[in-house]
Amino acid sequence: MVILFASLSMFYTKAVAVKMLPFDNKNEFQVVIDMPEGTTLEKTQAVAKDIGSYVSGQGLVRNYETYIGTSAPISFNGLVRHYDLRRGDNVADIQVNLVDKKDRSIQSHGIAKEMRGPIQAIARKYNANAKIVEVPPGPPVLSTLVAEIYGPDYQEQIKVARQVKDLMIKTSNVVDMDWMVEDDQPGYHIEVNKEKAMRYGIATAQIAATVNAGLSGMSVGNIAQPAAYNQTAIKLQLSDADKSSIDDVLNLKVIGMQGNAVPVKDLVTVTRQIKPKSIYRKNQKEVVYVLGDMAGDLESPSYAISDVSDHLKTVKVPKGFSLKEEYTHQPELEDNYSLKWDGEWQITFEVFRDLGIAFAVVIIMIYILIVGWFQNFTVPLVMLAAIPLSLIGIVLGHWMLHSYFTATSMIGFIALAGVMVRNSILLIDFINIRLDEGIPLKQAIIEAGAVRTTPILLTAGAVALGAVIILFDPIFQGLAISLMGGTVTSTFLTLIVVPLLYFKMMHKKTLTPSKSES
């Protein structure tokens, strides 16, 4: 028990970290570039070109493709992140293709971590936000670390989200910070003086059409080509040099009903203002998303969430309100400000919860089967004692190999339950056979250990050797460690602990009649 609890304490001390799934070894990753809203396409192209030059100089990069103003072809990761919807002059994607994994010793995750710093240093020179996006090993999420901010006022939600974002930036192992709030974009509100326009004989719609044509162009017909299948449109538009400022558009003239030409600026009032920002909703509730990724010694979001939670009391909210944390479900009401942790954490919670329920069902079924066979309710408890002992080898194995305890590790722990119980059954069944033959309890237990050790070791060896095949796979390494480490330690401890527990339980039963007789 001391060894068991000492090994489990490694989860608390973070000597063994818990993560949904480790990063897989892929042959590609993406660099997603976001410039401030309102940035020109040419400046975005300059950032992408500079980053692309750095990427092309890396020895393990086979080639790269740059997409300016649009998204790269949608990948598995983009299904949830909606990368296919990325459009605009301020966005760019770089698809980086690596040398095939059989020709390199470094995993793609290690390559991406090495390139993240220099790429982001280049992006900072242009006031850009560059994120390294890897193909996820499991279900895709909006981001590895997601904080959803809910509340009664959207502008205040943005203020709270900005403070949460600042806390996450200061948190160790958190990288690629971003949020789904646009930067302030200046805009011009043009209001037509209808009374003045009427005196000149000009309609409001005519002024609006002229301004729109100056900014976006106007279709004025088609070229007469009788033999053509598709007609060629004629579009009237200003050159880029002639619409570099708002004054260029306001100097356009509108022709009145009497043939008089009047500049647009004489008929309108222009107000400079900030364009409204997009409002995101999840399940019909207004939400502000704060996004981040994990890289470093502890790449599991649960540790970053714990660190941020310790400092949430410093977040300022409007008077009369508080900031409540939610870990497993979205808040039902929007009458208070709430922070809901999502992303990989949500999937980790659901997967380990479901695996825990499955493990409980397995234990109950095994217990029922053993009770039915031995016709005893206490003997199965001795047999099940071997199951938690496998955690000693599982945890120590993950610690020795510096591996994460993942969902596949948990699956291996569940799979071991049947093997470990089988070893206990081999011992106790043999003991009962010898007891029925009149052999003393102590002698029967010793003989059971001598006779049954060989088949128990053969079974354990088969399980451990079979797991060697998947030990070097980045995704299923946790399963292999659980099968190998759990089998080895649990087998040896089963040969010691189960006979001792059974001796102690049966010894008391055999002593009870002798006391009554005396």
Side-chain angles (χ1 to χ4, degrees):
M1 293 297 292
V2 171
I3 297 173
L4 176 61
F5 283 107
S7 61
L8 291 178
S9 66
M10 289 186 175
F11 291 123
Y12 178 77
T13 60
K14 302 176 184 177
V16 176
V18 178
K19 185 175 171 60
M20 169 60 189
L21 284 175
F23 285 97
D24 199 0
N25 190 13
K26 301 291 186 181
N27 290 331
E28 60 176 313
F29 66 86
Q30 278 181 267
V31 181
V32 177
I33 303 170
D34 291 304
M35 299 288 288
E37 279 72 12
T39 304
T40 62
L41 188 67
E42 289 77 12
K43 189 171 183 179
T44 305
Q45 184 182 19
V47 182
K49 185 177 180 180
D50 202 351
I51 295 176
S53 298
Y54 165 77
V55 169
S56 64
Q58 304 306 304
L60 295 177
V61 174
R62 188 177 62 189
N63 53 52
Y64 73 96
E65 305 146 10
T66 305
Y67 300 85
I68 315 296
T70 185
S71 64
I74 188 170
S75 62
F76 176 64
N77 202 28
L79 293 175
V80 173
R81 301 190 182 193
H82 303 296
Y83 282 162
D84 56 316
L85 301 179
R86 287 171 52 82
R87 296 287 187 275
D89 295 346
N90 64 312
V91 301
D93 284 2
I94 301 178
Q95 176 71 33
V96 181
N97 299 313
L98 303 174
V99 175
D100 194 87
K101 51 189 174 185
K102 70 176 183 295
D103 299 325
R104 51 183 164 85
S105 58
I106 305 176
Q107 293 191 2
S108 60
H109 180 57
I111 298 172
K113 286 174 64 176
E114 290 178 1
M115 295 175 63
R116 176 178 277 111
I119 287 176
Q120 292 184 340
I122 296 172
R124 280 193 293 270
K125 294 191 301 182
Y126 297 89
N127 193 27
N129 187 356
K131 298 180 286 294
I132 307 298
V133 179
E134 302 177 58
V135 180
V141 291
L142 191 61
S143 188
T144 303
L145 185 62
V146 179
E148 301 172 353
I149 311 299
Y150 298 91
D153 183 84
Y154 199 73
Q155 295 304 317
E156 293 296 333
Q157 288 175 239
I158 293 177
K159 294 180 182 178
V160 173
R162 182 179 286 109
Q163 298 176 69
V164 174
K165 180 185 175 187
D166 292 339
L167 287 177
M168 292 169 67
I169 290 175
K170 299 175 184 176
T171 304
S172 58
N173 300 316
V174 177
V175 296
D176 292 352
M177 283 303 306
D178 199 2
W179 64 340
M180 296 178 70
V181 177
E182 298 98 337
D183 290 344
D184 290 342
Q185 302 178 67
Y188 294 95
H189 179 72
I190 301 177
E191 185 175 357
V192 178
N193 188 329
K194 296 182 180 179
E195 183 179 348
K196 193 173 183 180
M198 287 177 61
R199 289 201 301 267
Y200 284 105
I202 298 174
T204 302
Q206 189 177 355
I207 300 173
T210 301
V211 173
N212 186 60
L215 294 173
S216 305
M218 174 190 295
S219 180
V220 294
N222 297 318
I223 297 177
Q225 293 177 303
Y229 181 77
N230 292 320
Q231 296 297 317
T232 303
I234 302 173
K235 191 174 184 179
L236 179 66
Q237 62 182 20
L238 294 176
S239 64
D240 291 340
D242 292 332
K243 55 179 179 180
S244 58
S245 68
I246 187 66
D247 292 332
D248 294 335
V249 178
L250 296 179
N251 287 330
L252 294 174
K253 291 183 171 57
V254 184
I255 307 301
M257 297 180 64
Q258 293 82 19
N260 52 323
V262 183
V264 171
K265 63 182 177 181
D266 294 341
L267 304 173
V268 300
T269 301
V270 181
T271 305
R272 183 184 173 92
Q273 59 187 20
I274 301 300
K275 292 177 63 177
K277 294 178 171 58
S278 301
I279 296 178
Y280 291 89
R281 290 179 175 83
K282 182 177 180 180
N283 297 332
Q284 300 183 353
K285 292 181 175 65
E286 294 181 351
V287 60
V288 179
Y289 291 101
V290 182
L291 313 174
D293 212 325
M294 301 297 298
D297 297 331
L298 295 173
E299 296 182 343
S300 175
S302 56
Y303 302 107
I305 290 173
S306 177
D307 293 341
V308 175
S309 297
D310 295 339
H311 298 87
L312 281 182
K313 57 180 178 294
T314 62
V315 175
K316 297 178 181 178
V317 296
K319 190 175 181 180
F321 295 93
S322 61
L323 182 62
K324 183 181 178 183
E325 270 189 290
E326 299 285 355
Y327 291 93
T328 59
H329 62 278
Q330 189 182 30
E332 296 181 3
L333 302 175
E334 297 175 279
D335 55 352
N336 197 11
Y337 293 94
S338 302
L339 188 157
K340 162 67 172 67
W341 293 109
D342 203 82
E344 187 180 300
W345 153 255
Q346 184 70 30
I347 294 180
T348 303
F349 165 75
E350 292 176 355
V351 167
F352 278 90
R353 178 199 62 194
D354 295 343
L355 288 176
I357 294 173
F359 179 67
V361 173
V362 167
I363 295 297
I364 293 172
M365 293 178 65
I366 291 175
Y367 179 81
I368 293 173
L369 289 173
I370 298 175
V371 168
W373 178 255
F374 286 94
Q375 297 295 306
N376 190 300
F377 288 97
T378 56
V379 170
L381 297 178
V382 176
M383 298 179 180
L384 294 176
I387 295 177
L389 297 179
S390 62
L391 278 173
I392 297 173
I394 291 173
V395 176
L396 291 177
H398 284 81
W399 172 70
M400 293 172 61
L401 294 177
H402 304 286
S403 180
Y404 289 101
F405 187 87
T406 63
T408 58
S409 305
M410 188 68 178
I411 293 171
F413 173 55
I414 297 173
L416 276 180
V419 178
M420 296 303 101
V421 171
R422 176 188 177 277
N423 292 340
S424 300
I425 292 175
L426 286 174
L427 285 172
I428 294 178
D429 187 52
F430 187 86
I431 294 172
N432 289 340
I433 292 173
R434 300 298 285 163
L435 289 175
D436 293 338
E437 295 174 355
I439 303 298
L441 176 63
K442 185 176 180 180
Q443 183 65 27
I445 291 177
I446 294 174
E447 291 183 6
V451 174
R452 294 300 195 187
T453 296
T454 301
I456 289 175
L457 292 179
L458 288 174
T459 302
V463 174
L465 290 175
V468 172
I469 301 173
I470 55 175
L471 181 61
F472 302 100
D473 185 273
I475 300 299
F476 293 101
Q477 185 183 51
L479 175 61
I481 295 174
S482 294
L483 292 176
M484 296 175 67
T487 299
V488 172
T489 56
S490 182
T491 298
F492 284 105
L493 291 174
T494 297
L495 293 171
I496 299 172
V497 175
V498 172
L500 287 175
L501 289 175
Y502 193 68
F503 175 78
K504 190 170 183 61
M505 183 184 69
M506 298 301 293
H507 184 61
K508 290 181 179 180
K509 291 183 179 181
T510 56
L511 287 180
T512 303
S514 60
K515 288 182 180 179
S516 61
E517 290 174 3
S518 62

